[in-house]
Amino acid sequence: MASTASAAERLRTLREMHGWTQTDLAAATGLSQPLLSGIEKMRREATPESLRAIAEATDTPLSFFQVAPSTVPSDSLHFRKNKTAPVRLTTQVKAYFREAHRVTTTLLDRISYPVSQFRPADARQGSLGQDEIEAMAASTRRTLGLDPDAAIPNVTRAIERAGGAVFRMALPGVEEGRVIGKGHFGVSYWGGPGERPVIGYFAGSGDRDRFTIAHELGHVILHTFREVDDEAENEAHRFAGALLLPEARARELIEPTTSLTDYARIKATFGVSIQALIMRASALGIIDDNRKASLMVQVATRGWRTAEPVEVPNEDPQLVGKALRALWPESPYRAGSEPLAIQPQVLRSLAPVGPSTSAGPAPRGGAKVMAFPGPKSATAEPESGVRRLHP
């Protein structure tokens, strides 16, 4: 049986990663809210009966409550998010990512998948200059085994080949577009040399996904050993631009008079949004502030702020799914659930079959949709099947 302390932490993690309140969980399990509160506050013992009730109601393996908690400190996570992102949503993102980090690193370690030696920025105070960021991006390209100046065909696959874990974030019970709409784009963590960098992102357009993944890799390289300050997001943005469009090619392709049509052609080749290309040109001093402002006004006038021309294909992570199916080729989500101490539906979200898709439209009337799985029955349902309960 899990200790009182570990059961308390694991119960809180389960709730937070699903966005459930104690009242929600009480209604689904038949346990009282005061009992659940007492367990989380370590004032009540988590009995085998209570843990089984929670496990059965939420399709959670009992091993979830017994596994060692994630060692990733929540305050060490890096985000591509807006400062106005809701606190409750950020709490759910952190809980989900920390569990996803535990599961994905466990999976890749089980198959002994090698990891490259990424070179982090030295620990020191102060902001990084553009030349330093260009050098770090060039070094990272070498670590990833990429051509120094060419377009990156698939950013996700390059990181996976180097031993990093990349996965699409799909918060249980929350429609993806609503997460991005609330200001969250990606999250990452790296423990340092010898460990795997882990990157999660909320899927959107192909060019935004590539930039978000590159941005999070920037956090991994630039901010693992450096103190994160108000310049961290700007530094990660500039790193992403430098990684995706190296300086030599940017200076070759972009001039102060380059038109939006020409920017669109560059986007088609390098998979970088027109707006990000404009910011890249500005960071390198190719265009001045007046030209940048003029181009951004043109982008807005054409309605391109949220819907740019030139579609960039989405990149679908493959490594985590391949590892899962290598270990459990028959029914990987259900078979892998107990040994990985995670719910089958969370495994499916980390390693979906086929291309990534949106979680679907928001519920009518703005009602929150709770994704509590139904009880197991004698006739097995498809692994993706869950029973939706409204609070």
Side-chain angles (χ1 to χ4, degrees), residues 54 64 91 97 109 152 176 208 219 224 240 271 300-301 314 333:
I54 296 169
F64 180 91
T91 297
F97 179 84
D109 287 349
I152 304 176
E176 278 182 337
R208 187 184 63 197
H219 277 312
T224 292
T301 300
N314 290 94
Y333 306 120

Side-chain angles (χ1 to χ4, degrees), residues 310-330:
V310 183
E311 182 178 354
V312 175
N314 290 94
E315 299 180 357
D316 289 300
Q318 299 290 325
L319 181 57
V320 173
K322 287 181 178 179
L324 183 66
R325 285 180 279 277
L327 291 169
W328 298 283
E330 299 295 330

Side-chain angles (χ1 to χ4, degrees), residues 30-242:
L31 301 175
S32 71
Q33 184 275 328
L35 172 62
L36 296 173
S37 176
I39 293 173
E40 288 194 18
K41 293 178 179 178
M42 291 181 277
R43 297 171 183 169
R44 300 283 296 272
E45 182 179 353
T47 65
E49 292 75 21
S50 60
L51 291 181
R52 273 196 297 272
I54 296 169
E56 290 177 5
T58 62
D59 201 20
T60 302
L62 283 170
S63 57
F64 180 91
F65 301 101
Q66 299 159 351
V67 73
S70 170
T71 58
V72 176
S74 290
D75 58 0
S76 296
L77 298 181
H78 300 298
F79 288 90
R80 184 188 174 198
K81 73 178 182 69
N82 297 335
K83 292 182 179 180
T84 56
V87 173
R88 182 172 176 177
L89 182 61
T90 299
T91 297
Q92 185 176 3
V93 169
K94 286 182 176 181
Y96 182 92
F97 179 84
R98 291 175 76 227
E99 283 302 294
H101 179 279
R102 177 183 64 78
V103 170
T104 56
T105 54
T106 297
L107 261 174
L108 298 183
D109 287 349
R110 281 196 177 208
I111 64 170
S112 301
Y113 195 82
V115 60
S116 299
Q117 292 299 312
F118 289 87
R119 177 174 171 262
D122 295 332
R124 65 175 178 81
Q125 300 295 321
S127 300
L128 294 174
Q130 188 63 36
D131 288 345
E132 293 175 292
I133 289 178
E134 300 292 335
M136 294 303 297
S139 173
T140 302
R141 272 187 168 245
R142 289 192 294 272
T143 301
L144 296 174
L146 298 169
D147 184 288
D149 295 324
I152 304 176
N154 193 304
V155 179
T156 300
R157 204 75 76 249
I159 296 172
E160 290 181 330
R161 283 197 301 268
V166 181
F167 54 85
R168 181 175 63 96
M169 297 277 286
L171 299 185
V174 182
E175 195 270 324
E176 278 182 337
R178 296 175 71 180
V179 178
I180 294 171
K182 293 294 185 180
H184 278 281
F185 299 93
V187 58
S188 58
Y189 176 78
W190 185 41
E195 296 195 23
R196 300 185 191 281
V198 179
I199 295 172
Y201 69 97
F202 293 100
S205 63
D207 51 290
R208 187 184 63 197
D209 291 352
R210 283 168 59 89
F211 192 88
T212 294
I213 293 166
H215 174 104
E216 291 303 328
L217 185 59
H219 277 312
V220 160
I221 300 298
L222 303 181
H223 303 128
T224 292
F225 296 114
R226 291 176 59 241
E227 184 176 342
V228 177
D229 57 20
D230 290 341
E231 277 297 301
E233 285 299 288
N234 182 38
E235 288 180 353
H237 276 320
R238 288 186 286 144
F239 177 94

Side-chain angles (χ1 to χ4, degrees), residues 365-384:
K368 182 177 179 182
V369 176
M370 307 301 297
F372 289 107
K376 299 182 182 69
S377 62
T379 303
E381 293 181 329
E383 289 189 55
S384 59

